[in-house]
Each structure stands twice: as structure tokens, then as C-alpha cells.
Amino acid sequence: MSSISAPNTSLGIGQSWLDMSGQRAANTTYQNTSYRPIEVSIVSANAYPDRYIQVSADGVSWINLKAGAGASERIEHQFTVPPGHYYRTSADMTIAGWAELR
């Protein structure tokens, strides 16, 4: 009897950081369509307290992960997105950088 091994779905194994800055925009919903978790790193140029990173399991109900810290402070947001889940930034966030471990 032959043995079939499942692919390694651990975060970081066989994945690479990709610069997604030219392919991502604020207030646009993205979905992790891969079969494994991804890590997202966003640098915002305007981190006012009312600007958020949001995640959702269904693309309808959103959870605010993190708000900005100060009046014009740059801040990095880093979070893990499970397979099939959605992610976005608030509408008025100015993106200074966006990378994903895929």
C-alpha cells in the first residue's frame, strides 16, 4: 500500500514575501484563495485612530483588528489571514507599503 502525504500547510513553509504595493488599494476587499494561511504586512502613512485593518470570514461581517495610534504617525499592521477569509483597510487609509507572505 502506498503512502500519500498531504502538502505542508504551515505558515511560512514554502512561502515567500511578495511586494503587493502596486496590486493593493485601501477599501478594497481581498480574499485569501490559497489553501493555507498568509501573512499580510501593511504600512500606513496616516495612522489616525479611525483608520482600521479589517478581516472577515464571510465578506459581510467585519472585525476591526487595529486602529492607528496617532495624528500622522506611520504604523505597520501585520496579521494572518486564514484560507478563504477576507481582508481590507478602511477607506481613507494611505498605503505606504503592502507585502504578503504567500
Side-chain angles (χ1 to χ4, degrees):
M1 188 155 91
S2 65
S3 173
I4 299 174
S5 61
N8 190 333
T9 58
S10 299
L11 180 64
I13 304 297
Q15 293 175 301
S16 299
W17 280 103
L18 303 173
D19 181 358
M20 305 297 285
S21 300
Q23 302 171 43
R24 299 287 188 254
N27 199 37
T28 302
T29 300
Y30 300 100
Q31 184 180 23
N32 177 5
T33 57
S34 71
Y35 61 91
R36 59 195 307 181
I38 62 171
E39 189 75 10
V40 179
S41 177
I42 300 171
V43 177
S44 60
N46 55 346
Y48 294 99
D50 59 342
R51 295 184 173 115
Y52 293 93
I53 300 296
Q54 300 177 308
V55 294
S56 172
D58 60 10
V60 176
S61 299
W62 292 91
I63 302 293
N64 293 334
L65 287 183
K66 188 172 187 181
S72 61
E73 179 181 325
R74 287 174 62 111
I75 190 167
E76 183 175 339
H77 312 272
Q78 195 156 355
F79 54 99
T80 303
V81 181
H85 284 61
Y86 300 84
Y87 54 107
R88 67 183 182 194
T89 68
S90 58
D92 53 0
M93 185 176 285
T94 301
I95 307 300
W98 191 311
E100 297 181 6
L101 181 65
R102 299 184 147 272

Coordinates of all heavy atoms in Angstrom, one line a residue:
M1 N 0.8 -1.2 0.0 CA 0.0 0.0 0.0 C 0.9 1.2 0.0 O 1.8 1.4 0.8 CB -0.9 0.0 1.2 CG -1.9 1.0 1.2 SD -3.3 0.6 2.2 CE -2.9 1.3 3.8
S2 N 0.6 2.2 -0.9 CA 1.4 3.4 -1.0 C 0.9 4.4 0.0 O -0.2 4.5 0.4 CB 1.4 3.9 -2.4 OG 0.1 4.4 -2.7
S3 N 1.8 5.3 0.4 CA 1.5 6.3 1.3 C 1.5 7.7 0.6 O 2.4 8.0 -0.1 CB 2.6 6.4 2.4 OG 2.4 7.5 3.3
I4 N 0.4 8.4 0.8 CA 0.3 9.7 0.2 C 0.4 10.8 1.3 O -0.4 10.7 2.2 CB -1.0 9.9 -0.6 CG1 -1.1 8.9 -1.7 CG2 -1.2 11.3 -1.1 CD1 -2.5 8.8 -2.4
S5 N 1.3 11.7 1.2 CA 1.4 12.7 2.2 C 0.7 14.0 1.8 O 0.8 14.4 0.6 CB 2.9 13.0 2.5 OG 3.6 13.5 1.4
A6 N 0.1 14.6 2.7 CA -0.6 15.9 2.5 C 0.4 17.0 2.4 O 1.5 16.9 3.0 CB -1.6 16.2 3.6
P7 N 0.1 18.0 1.6 CA 1.1 19.2 1.5 C 1.2 19.9 2.9 O 0.2 19.9 3.6 CB 0.4 20.1 0.5 CG -1.0 19.7 0.4 CD -1.1 18.3 0.8
N8 N 2.3 20.4 3.1 CA 2.6 21.2 4.4 C 1.8 22.5 4.2 O 2.1 23.3 3.4 CB 4.1 21.4 4.6 CG 4.3 21.9 6.0 OD1 3.5 22.6 6.6 ND2 5.5 21.6 6.5
T9 N 0.9 22.7 5.1 CA 0.1 24.0 5.1 C 0.5 24.9 6.2 O -0.3 25.9 6.5 CB -1.4 23.7 5.2 OG1 -1.7 22.9 6.4 CG2 -1.9 22.8 4.0
S10 N 1.6 24.7 6.8 CA 2.1 25.6 7.8 C 2.5 27.0 7.2 O 3.0 27.1 6.2 CB 3.3 25.0 8.5 OG 3.0 23.8 9.1
L11 N 2.2 28.0 8.0 CA 2.6 29.4 7.6 C 4.1 29.5 7.4 O 4.8 29.1 8.3 CB 2.1 30.4 8.6 CG 2.4 31.9 8.3 CD1 1.7 32.3 7.0 CD2 1.9 32.8 9.4
G12 N 4.5 30.0 6.3 CA 6.0 30.3 6.1 C 6.7 29.2 5.4 O 7.7 29.4 4.7
I13 N 6.2 27.9 5.4 CA 6.9 26.8 4.8 C 6.6 26.9 3.3 O 5.4 26.8 2.9 CB 6.4 25.4 5.3 CG1 6.6 25.4 6.9 CG2 7.1 24.3 4.6 CD1 8.1 25.5 7.3
G14 N 7.7 27.1 2.5 CA 7.5 27.1 1.0 C 6.8 28.4 0.5 O 6.4 28.5 -0.6
Q15 N 6.7 29.4 1.4 CA 6.1 30.7 1.0 C 7.2 31.8 0.9 O 8.3 31.6 1.5 CB 5.1 31.1 2.0 CG 3.8 30.2 2.0 CD 2.9 30.6 3.1 OE1 3.2 30.6 4.3 NE2 1.6 30.9 2.7
S16 N 7.0 32.8 0.2 CA 7.9 34.0 0.1 C 7.2 35.3 0.2 O 6.0 35.4 -0.1 CB 8.5 33.9 -1.3 OG 9.2 32.8 -1.6
W17 N 7.9 36.3 0.7 CA 7.3 37.6 0.8 C 7.3 38.2 -0.6 O 8.2 38.2 -1.3 CB 8.2 38.5 1.7 CG 7.9 38.3 3.2 CD1 8.7 37.6 4.0 CD2 6.8 38.7 3.9 NE1 8.2 37.5 5.3 CE2 7.0 38.2 5.3 CE3 5.7 39.4 3.6 CZ2 6.1 38.5 6.3 CZ3 4.8 39.7 4.7 CH2 5.0 39.2 6.0
L18 N 6.1 38.8 -0.9 CA 5.9 39.5 -2.2 C 5.5 40.9 -1.9 O 4.6 41.2 -1.1 CB 4.8 38.7 -3.0 CG 5.0 37.3 -3.2 CD1 3.7 36.7 -3.8 CD2 6.2 37.1 -4.1
D19 N 6.0 41.8 -2.7 CA 5.6 43.2 -2.6 C 4.3 43.4 -3.4 O 4.3 43.2 -4.6 CB 6.7 44.1 -3.2 CG 6.4 45.6 -3.1 OD1 5.3 46.0 -2.7 OD2 7.2 46.4 -3.5
M20 N 3.3 43.6 -2.7 CA 1.9 43.8 -3.3 C 1.5 45.2 -3.5 O 0.3 45.5 -3.8 CB 0.9 43.0 -2.5 CG 1.3 41.5 -2.3 SD 1.4 40.5 -3.8 CE -0.4 40.3 -4.1
S21 N 2.4 46.2 -3.2 CA 2.0 47.6 -3.2 C 1.3 48.0 -4.4 O 0.3 48.8 -4.4 CB 3.3 48.4 -2.9 OG 3.9 48.1 -1.7
G22 N 1.8 47.6 -5.6 CA 1.1 48.1 -6.8 C -0.1 47.3 -7.2 O -0.8 47.7 -8.1
Q23 N -0.5 46.3 -6.4 CA -1.7 45.5 -6.7 C -2.8 45.6 -5.6 O -3.8 44.9 -5.7 CB -1.2 44.0 -6.8 CG -0.2 43.8 -7.8 CD 0.3 42.4 -7.8 OE1 -0.4 41.4 -7.6 NE2 1.7 42.2 -7.9
R24 N -2.5 46.4 -4.6 CA -3.5 46.5 -3.5 C -3.9 48.0 -3.3 O -3.1 48.9 -3.5 CB -2.9 46.0 -2.2 CG -2.5 44.5 -2.2 CD -3.8 43.7 -2.2 NE -3.5 42.3 -2.1 CZ -3.6 41.4 -3.1 NH1 -4.0 41.8 -4.3 NH2 -3.4 40.1 -2.9
A25 N -5.1 48.2 -2.8 CA -5.6 49.6 -2.6 C -6.5 49.6 -1.3 O -7.1 48.6 -0.9 CB -6.4 50.1 -3.8
A26 N -6.6 50.7 -0.7 CA -7.4 50.9 0.5 C -8.9 50.7 0.1 O -9.3 50.9 -1.0 CB -7.2 52.3 1.1
N27 N -9.7 50.2 1.1 CA -11.1 50.0 1.0 C -11.5 49.0 -0.2 O -12.5 49.2 -0.8 CB -11.8 51.3 0.9 CG -13.3 51.1 1.2 OD1 -13.7 50.3 2.1 ND2 -14.2 51.8 0.5
T28 N -10.6 48.1 -0.5 CA -10.8 47.1 -1.5 C -10.8 45.8 -0.8 O -9.8 45.5 0.0 CB -9.8 47.1 -2.6 OG1 -9.9 48.4 -3.2 CG2 -10.1 46.1 -3.7
T29 N -11.7 44.9 -1.0 CA -11.8 43.6 -0.3 C -11.0 42.6 -1.1 O -11.1 42.5 -2.3 CB -13.2 43.2 -0.1 OG1 -13.9 44.1 0.6 CG2 -13.3 41.8 0.6
Y30 N -10.1 41.9 -0.3 CA -9.3 40.8 -0.9 C -9.6 39.5 -0.2 O -10.0 39.6 1.0 CB -7.8 41.1 -0.8 CG -7.4 42.4 -1.5 CD1 -7.3 43.6 -0.8 CD2 -7.3 42.4 -2.9 CE1 -7.0 44.8 -1.5 CE2 -7.0 43.6 -3.6 CZ -6.9 44.8 -2.9 OH -6.6 45.9 -3.5
Q31 N -9.5 38.4 -0.9 CA -9.7 37.1 -0.2 C -8.5 36.2 -0.4 O -7.8 36.2 -1.4 CB -10.9 36.4 -0.9 CG -11.2 35.1 -0.2 CD -12.4 34.3 -0.9 OE1 -12.7 34.6 -2.0 NE2 -13.0 33.5 -0.1
N32 N -8.1 35.5 0.7 CA -7.1 34.5 0.6 C -7.6 33.3 0.0 O -8.3 32.5 0.6 CB -6.5 34.2 2.0 CG -5.5 33.1 2.0 OD1 -5.1 32.7 0.9 ND2 -5.1 32.7 3.2
T33 N -7.4 33.1 -1.3 CA -7.9 32.0 -2.1 C -7.0 30.8 -2.1 O -7.3 29.8 -2.7 CB -8.2 32.4 -3.5 OG1 -7.0 32.9 -4.1 CG2 -9.3 33.5 -3.6
S34 N -5.9 30.9 -1.3 CA -5.0 29.8 -1.3 C -5.5 28.7 -0.2 O -6.4 29.0 0.5 CB -3.5 30.2 -0.9 OG -3.5 30.6 0.5
Y35 N -4.9 27.6 -0.2 CA -5.3 26.5 0.8 C -4.5 26.6 2.1 O -4.7 25.8 3.0 CB -5.0 25.2 0.1 CG -3.6 24.9 -0.2 CD1 -2.7 24.3 0.8 CD2 -3.0 25.3 -1.4 CE1 -1.4 24.1 0.5 CE2 -1.7 25.0 -1.7 CZ -0.9 24.4 -0.7 OH 0.4 24.2 -1.0
R36 N -3.8 27.7 2.3 CA -3.0 27.9 3.5 C -3.1 29.3 4.0 O -3.4 30.2 3.2 CB -1.6 27.4 3.3 CG -0.9 28.2 2.2 CD 0.3 27.6 1.7 NE 1.3 27.3 2.7 CZ 2.5 26.8 2.5 NH1 2.9 26.5 1.3 NH2 3.3 26.6 3.5
P37 N -2.7 29.6 5.3 CA -2.7 30.9 5.8 C -1.7 31.8 5.1 O -0.7 31.3 4.7 CB -2.5 30.8 7.3 CG -1.9 29.4 7.5 CD -2.3 28.6 6.3
I38 N -1.9 33.1 5.0 CA -1.0 34.1 4.5 C -0.7 35.1 5.6 O -1.6 35.3 6.5 CB -1.4 34.7 3.2 CG1 -2.7 35.6 3.4 CG2 -1.5 33.7 2.1 CD1 -3.0 36.4 2.2
E39 N 0.4 35.7 5.6 CA 0.7 36.8 6.5 C 0.7 38.1 5.7 O 1.2 38.1 4.5 CB 2.1 36.7 7.1 CG 2.4 37.6 8.2 CD 1.7 37.3 9.5 OE1 1.1 36.2 9.6 OE2 1.8 38.1 10.4
V40 N 0.0 39.2 6.2 CA -0.1 40.4 5.5 C 0.6 41.5 6.3 O 0.4 41.6 7.5 CB -1.5 40.8 5.2 CG1 -1.7 42.1 4.5 CG2 -2.2 39.7 4.4
S41 N 1.4 42.3 5.7 CA 2.1 43.5 6.3 C 1.8 44.7 5.6 O 2.1 44.8 4.4 CB 3.6 43.2 6.4 OG 4.2 44.3 7.0
I42 N 1.1 45.7 6.2 CA 0.7 46.9 5.6 C 1.3 48.1 6.4 O 1.2 48.1 7.6 CB -0.8 47.1 5.6 CG1 -1.4 46.0 4.8 CG2 -1.2 48.5 5.0 CD1 -3.0 45.9 4.9
V43 N 2.0 49.0 5.7 CA 2.5 50.2 6.3 C 1.5 51.4 5.9 O 1.4 51.6 4.7 CB 3.9 50.5 5.9 CG1 4.4 51.9 6.6 CG2 4.8 49.4 6.3
S44 N 0.9 52.0 6.9 CA 0.0 53.1 6.6 C 0.8 54.4 6.8 O 1.5 54.5 7.8 CB -1.3 53.0 7.4 OG -1.0 53.1 8.8
A45 N 0.5 55.4 6.0 CA 1.2 56.7 6.1 C 0.4 57.6 6.9 O 1.0 58.7 7.3 CB 1.4 57.3 4.7
N46 N -0.8 57.3 7.3 CA -1.6 58.2 8.1 C -2.4 57.3 9.1 O -3.4 56.7 8.7 CB -2.6 59.0 7.3 CG -3.5 58.2 6.4 OD1 -3.2 57.0 6.1 ND2 -4.5 58.8 5.8
A47 N -1.9 57.2 10.3 CA -2.5 56.2 11.2 C -3.4 56.9 12.2 O -3.3 56.7 13.4 CB -1.3 55.6 11.9
Y48 N -4.4 57.7 11.7 CA -5.3 58.3 12.6 C -6.2 57.2 13.3 O -6.4 56.1 12.7 CB -6.2 59.2 11.9 CG -5.5 60.4 11.3 CD1 -5.1 60.5 10.0 CD2 -5.2 61.5 12.2 CE1 -4.4 61.6 9.5 CE2 -4.5 62.6 11.7 CZ -4.1 62.6 10.4 OH -3.4 63.7 9.9
P49 N -6.7 57.4 14.5 CA -7.4 56.4 15.3 C -8.6 55.8 14.6 O -9.0 54.7 14.9 CB -7.8 57.1 16.6 CG -6.8 58.2 16.7 CD -6.4 58.6 15.3
D50 N -9.2 56.5 13.6 CA -10.4 56.0 13.0 C -10.1 55.2 11.7 O -11.0 54.9 10.9 CB -11.4 57.1 12.7 CG -10.8 58.2 11.8 OD1 -9.6 58.2 11.6 OD2 -11.6 59.0 11.2
R51 N -8.9 54.8 11.4 CA -8.5 54.0 10.3 C -8.2 52.6 10.7 O -7.4 52.4 11.6 CB -7.3 54.7 9.5 CG -7.8 56.0 9.0 CD -6.8 56.7 8.2 NE -7.4 57.9 7.6 CZ -7.0 59.1 7.8 NH1 -6.0 59.4 8.7 NH2 -7.6 60.1 7.3
Y52 N -8.7 51.6 10.0 CA -8.7 50.3 10.5 C -8.2 49.3 9.5 O -8.3 49.5 8.3 CB -10.1 49.8 10.9 CG -10.6 50.5 12.1 CD1 -11.4 51.6 12.0 CD2 -10.3 50.0 13.4 CE1 -11.9 52.2 13.1 CE2 -10.8 50.6 14.5 CZ -11.6 51.8 14.4 OH -12.1 52.4 15.5
I53 N -7.6 48.2 10.0 CA -7.4 46.9 9.2 C -8.6 46.1 9.6 O -8.9 45.9 10.8 CB -6.1 46.2 9.6 CG1 -4.9 47.2 9.3 CG2 -6.0 44.9 8.9 CD1 -4.7 47.5 7.9
Q54 N -9.2 45.4 8.6 CA -10.4 44.6 8.9 C -10.3 43.2 8.3 O -9.7 43.1 7.2 CB -11.7 45.3 8.3 CG -11.9 46.7 8.9 CD -13.1 47.3 8.3 OE1 -13.3 47.4 7.1 NE2 -14.1 47.8 9.2
V55 N -10.9 42.2 9.0 CA -10.9 40.9 8.5 C -12.3 40.3 8.6 O -13.1 40.8 9.4 CB -9.9 39.9 9.3 CG1 -8.5 40.3 9.0 CG2 -10.2 39.9 10.7
S56 N -12.6 39.3 7.8 CA -13.9 38.7 7.8 C -13.8 37.3 7.3 O -13.1 36.9 6.4 CB -14.8 39.5 6.8 OG -16.1 38.9 6.6
A57 N -14.6 36.4 7.9 CA -14.7 35.0 7.5 C -15.7 34.9 6.3 O -15.5 34.0 5.5 CB -15.2 34.1 8.6
D58 N -16.6 35.8 6.2 CA -17.6 35.7 5.1 C -17.7 36.8 4.1 O -18.6 36.8 3.2 CB -19.0 35.4 5.8 CG -19.4 36.6 6.7 OD1 -18.8 37.6 6.7 OD2 -20.5 36.4 7.4
G59 N -16.9 37.9 4.3 CA -17.0 39.0 3.5 C -18.2 40.0 3.7 O -18.4 40.9 3.0
V60 N -18.9 39.7 4.8 CA -20.1 40.5 5.2 C -19.9 41.1 6.6 O -20.0 42.3 6.7 CB -21.4 39.7 5.2 CG1 -22.6 40.5 5.6 CG2 -21.6 39.1 3.8
S61 N -19.6 40.3 7.5 CA -19.4 40.8 8.9 C -17.9 41.0 9.1 O -17.1 40.1 9.0 CB -19.9 39.7 9.9 OG -21.2 39.5 9.8
W62 N -17.5 42.3 9.5 CA -16.1 42.6 9.6 C -15.7 42.9 11.0 O -16.5 43.4 11.8 CB -15.8 43.9 8.7 CG -16.0 43.6 7.3 CD1 -17.1 43.7 6.5 CD2 -15.0 43.1 6.4 NE1 -16.9 43.3 5.2 CE2 -15.6 43.0 5.1 CE3 -13.6 42.8 6.5 CZ2 -14.9 42.5 4.0 CZ3 -12.9 42.4 5.4 CH2 -13.5 42.2 4.2
I63 N -14.5 42.5 11.3 CA -13.9 42.7 12.6 C -12.7 43.7 12.4 O -11.9 43.5 11.6 CB -13.3 41.4 13.2 CG1 -14.4 40.4 13.4 CG2 -12.6 41.7 14.5 CD1 -15.5 40.7 14.4
N64 N -12.7 44.8 13.2 CA -11.6 45.8 13.2 C -10.4 45.2 14.0 O -10.6 44.9 15.2 CB -12.0 47.1 13.8 CG -13.1 47.8 13.0 OD1 -13.1 47.6 11.8 ND2 -13.9 48.6 13.6
L65 N -9.3 45.0 13.4 CA -8.1 44.4 14.0 C -7.3 45.5 14.8 O -6.9 45.3 15.9 CB -7.2 43.7 13.0 CG -7.6 42.4 12.4 CD1 -6.6 41.9 11.5 CD2 -7.9 41.4 13.5
K66 N -7.1 46.6 14.1 CA -6.2 47.5 14.7 C -6.5 48.9 14.1 O -6.7 49.1 12.9 CB -4.7 47.1 14.3 CG -3.7 47.9 15.0 CD -2.3 47.3 14.7 CE -1.3 48.0 15.5 NZ 0.0 47.4 15.3
A67 N -6.4 49.9 15.0 CA -6.6 51.3 14.5 C -5.3 52.0 14.6 O -4.3 51.5 15.2 CB -7.6 52.0 15.5
G68 N -5.2 53.1 14.0 CA -4.0 53.9 14.0 C -3.7 54.4 15.4 O -4.6 54.4 16.3
A69 N -2.5 54.9 15.7 CA -2.1 55.3 17.0 C -2.0 56.8 17.2 O -2.3 57.3 18.3 CB -0.8 54.7 17.3
G70 N -1.7 57.6 16.2 CA -1.5 59.0 16.4 C -1.9 59.8 15.2 O -2.2 59.3 14.2
A71 N -1.8 61.1 15.3 CA -2.3 62.0 14.3 C -1.7 61.9 12.9 O -2.5 62.0 12.0 CB -2.1 63.4 14.8
S72 N -0.5 61.6 12.8 CA 0.0 61.4 11.4 C 1.2 60.4 11.4 O 2.1 60.5 10.6 CB 0.5 62.8 10.9 OG 1.5 63.3 11.7
E73 N 1.1 59.6 12.4 CA 2.2 58.6 12.6 C 2.1 57.4 11.6 O 1.0 56.9 11.4 CB 2.0 58.1 14.0 CG 3.0 57.0 14.5 CD 2.7 56.6 15.9 OE1 2.2 57.5 16.7 OE2 2.8 55.5 16.2
R74 N 3.2 57.0 11.0 CA 3.3 55.8 10.2 C 3.2 54.6 11.1 O 3.9 54.6 12.2 CB 4.6 55.8 9.4 CG 4.6 56.8 8.2 CD 5.9 56.8 7.5 NE 6.3 55.5 7.0 CZ 6.3 55.2 5.7 NH1 6.1 56.2 4.8 NH2 6.6 54.0 5.2
I75 N 2.5 53.6 10.7 CA 2.4 52.4 11.6 C 2.3 51.2 10.7 O 1.7 51.2 9.6 CB 1.2 52.5 12.5 CG1 1.2 51.4 13.5 CG2 -0.1 52.5 11.7 CD1 0.2 51.6 14.7
E76 N 2.9 50.1 11.2 CA 2.9 48.8 10.4 C 1.8 48.0 11.0 O 1.7 47.8 12.3 CB 4.2 48.1 10.5 CG 4.2 46.8 9.6 CD 5.5 46.2 9.6 OE1 6.5 46.8 9.8 OE2 5.5 45.0 9.3
H77 N 1.0 47.4 10.2 CA -0.1 46.4 10.6 C 0.3 45.1 10.1 O 0.6 44.9 8.9 CB -1.4 46.8 10.0 CG -1.7 48.3 10.2 ND1 -2.4 48.8 11.3 CD2 -1.5 49.3 9.4 CE1 -2.6 50.1 11.2 NE2 -2.0 50.4 10.0
Q78 N 0.4 44.1 10.9 CA 0.8 42.7 10.5 C -0.2 41.7 11.0 O -0.5 41.8 12.2 CB 2.2 42.4 10.9 CG 2.7 41.2 10.1 CD 4.2 41.1 10.1 OE1 4.9 42.1 10.6 NE2 4.8 40.1 9.6
F79 N -0.8 40.9 10.2 CA -1.8 39.9 10.6 C -1.8 38.7 9.7 O -1.4 38.8 8.6 CB -3.2 40.6 10.6 CG -3.6 41.3 9.3 CD1 -4.4 40.7 8.4 CD2 -3.1 42.6 9.0 CE1 -4.8 41.3 7.2 CE2 -3.4 43.2 7.8 CZ -4.3 42.5 6.9
T80 N -2.4 37.6 10.2 CA -2.5 36.4 9.5 C -3.9 36.2 9.0 O -4.9 36.5 9.7 CB -2.2 35.2 10.4 OG1 -0.9 35.4 10.9 CG2 -2.2 33.9 9.7
V81 N -4.1 35.8 7.7 CA -5.4 35.6 7.1 C -5.5 34.1 6.8 O -4.8 33.6 6.0 CB -5.5 36.4 5.8 CG1 -6.9 36.2 5.2 CG2 -5.2 37.9 6.1
P82 N -6.5 33.4 7.4 CA -6.7 32.0 7.2 C -7.2 31.8 5.7 O -7.8 32.7 5.1 CB -7.8 31.6 8.2 CG -7.7 32.7 9.2 CD -7.3 33.9 8.5
P83 N -7.1 30.6 5.2 CA -7.6 30.3 3.9 C -9.1 30.6 3.8 O -9.9 30.4 4.7 CB -7.4 28.8 3.8 CG -6.3 28.4 4.7 CD -6.5 29.4 5.9
G84 N -9.5 31.3 2.7 CA -10.9 31.6 2.4 C -11.4 32.9 3.1 O -12.5 33.4 2.8
H85 N -10.6 33.4 4.0 CA -11.0 34.7 4.7 C -10.7 35.9 3.9 O -9.9 35.9 3.0 CB -10.3 34.8 6.1 CG -10.9 33.8 7.1 ND1 -10.9 32.5 6.9 CD2 -11.5 34.1 8.3 CE1 -11.5 31.9 8.0 NE2 -11.9 32.9 8.8
Y86 N -11.3 37.0 4.3 CA -11.2 38.3 3.6 C -10.5 39.3 4.4 O -10.5 39.2 5.6 CB -12.6 38.8 3.3 CG -13.5 37.9 2.4 CD1 -14.2 36.8 3.0 CD2 -13.5 38.1 1.0 CE1 -14.9 36.0 2.2 CE2 -14.3 37.2 0.2 CZ -15.0 36.2 0.8 OH -15.7 35.3 0.0
Y87 N -9.9 40.3 3.7 CA -9.2 41.4 4.4 C -9.2 42.7 3.6 O -9.3 42.7 2.4 CB -7.7 41.0 4.8 CG -6.9 40.5 3.6 CD1 -5.9 41.3 3.0 CD2 -7.1 39.3 3.0 CE1 -5.1 40.9 2.0 CE2 -6.4 38.8 1.9 CZ -5.4 39.6 1.4 OH -4.6 39.2 0.3
R88 N -9.1 43.8 4.4 CA -9.1 45.1 3.7 C -8.7 46.2 4.7 O -8.5 45.9 5.9 CB -10.5 45.5 3.2 CG -11.5 45.7 4.2 CD -12.9 46.0 3.7 NE -13.9 46.2 4.7 CZ -15.2 46.2 4.5 NH1 -15.7 46.0 3.3 NH2 -16.0 46.5 5.5
T89 N -8.4 47.4 4.2 CA -8.2 48.5 5.1 C -9.4 49.5 5.0 O -10.2 49.3 4.1 CB -6.9 49.3 4.6 OG1 -7.2 50.0 3.4 CG2 -5.7 48.4 4.5
S90 N -9.5 50.4 5.9 CA -10.5 51.4 5.9 C -10.3 52.3 4.7 O -9.2 52.4 4.1 CB -10.6 52.2 7.2 OG -9.4 52.8 7.4
A91 N -11.4 53.0 4.3 CA -11.4 53.7 3.0 C -10.3 54.8 2.9 O -9.7 55.1 1.9 CB -12.8 54.4 2.8
D92 N -10.1 55.5 4.0 CA -9.2 56.7 4.0 C -7.8 56.4 4.4 O -7.0 57.3 4.7 CB -9.8 57.8 4.8 CG -10.2 57.4 6.2 OD1 -10.0 56.2 6.6 OD2 -10.7 58.3 7.0
M93 N -7.4 55.2 4.5 CA -6.0 54.8 4.9 C -5.1 55.0 3.7 O -5.4 54.6 2.6 CB -5.9 53.4 5.4 CG -4.5 53.1 5.9 SD -4.4 51.4 6.6 CE -5.2 51.7 8.1
T94 N -4.0 55.8 3.9 CA -3.0 56.0 2.8 C -1.9 54.9 3.0 O -1.3 54.8 4.0 CB -2.3 57.3 2.9 OG1 -3.4 58.3 2.8 CG2 -1.3 57.5 1.8
I95 N -1.8 54.0 1.9 CA -0.9 52.9 2.0 C 0.5 53.3 1.6 O 0.7 53.8 0.5 CB -1.4 51.8 1.1 CG1 -2.8 51.4 1.4 CG2 -0.5 50.6 1.1 CD1 -3.1 50.9 2.8
A96 N 1.5 53.1 2.5 CA 2.9 53.4 2.1 C 3.6 52.1 1.7 O 4.7 52.2 1.1 CB 3.6 54.0 3.3
G97 N 3.1 50.9 2.0 CA 3.7 49.7 1.6 C 2.8 48.5 1.9 O 2.0 48.6 2.9
W98 N 2.8 47.5 1.1 CA 2.0 46.3 1.3 C 2.7 45.1 0.9 O 3.1 45.0 -0.3 CB 0.7 46.5 0.5 CG -0.4 45.5 0.8 CD1 -0.4 44.2 0.9 CD2 -1.8 45.8 1.1 NE1 -1.6 43.6 1.2 CE2 -2.5 44.6 1.3 CE3 -2.5 47.1 1.1 CZ2 -3.9 44.6 1.5 CZ3 -3.9 47.0 1.3 CH2 -4.6 45.8 1.5
A99 N 2.9 44.1 1.8 CA 3.6 42.9 1.4 C 2.8 41.7 2.0 O 2.1 41.9 3.0 CB 5.1 42.9 2.0
E100 N 2.9 40.6 1.3 CA 2.2 39.4 1.7 C 3.2 38.2 1.6 O 3.9 38.0 0.7 CB 1.0 39.1 0.8 CG 0.0 40.3 1.0 CD -1.3 40.1 0.2 OE1 -1.5 39.0 -0.4 OE2 -2.1 41.0 0.2
L101 N 3.1 37.4 2.7 CA 3.8 36.1 2.7 C 2.9 35.1 2.1 O 1.9 34.7 2.7 CB 4.2 35.7 4.1 CG 5.0 34.4 4.3 CD1 6.4 34.5 3.6 CD2 5.2 34.1 5.8
R102 N 3.2 34.6 0.8 CA 2.3 33.7 0.1 C 3.1 32.5 -0.3 O 4.1 32.6 -0.7 CB 1.7 34.4 -1.1 CG 0.9 35.6 -0.8 CD 0.2 36.2 -2.0 NE -1.0 36.7 -1.7 CZ -2.2 36.0 -1.7 NH1 -2.3 34.8 -2.1 NH2 -3.3 36.6 -1.3

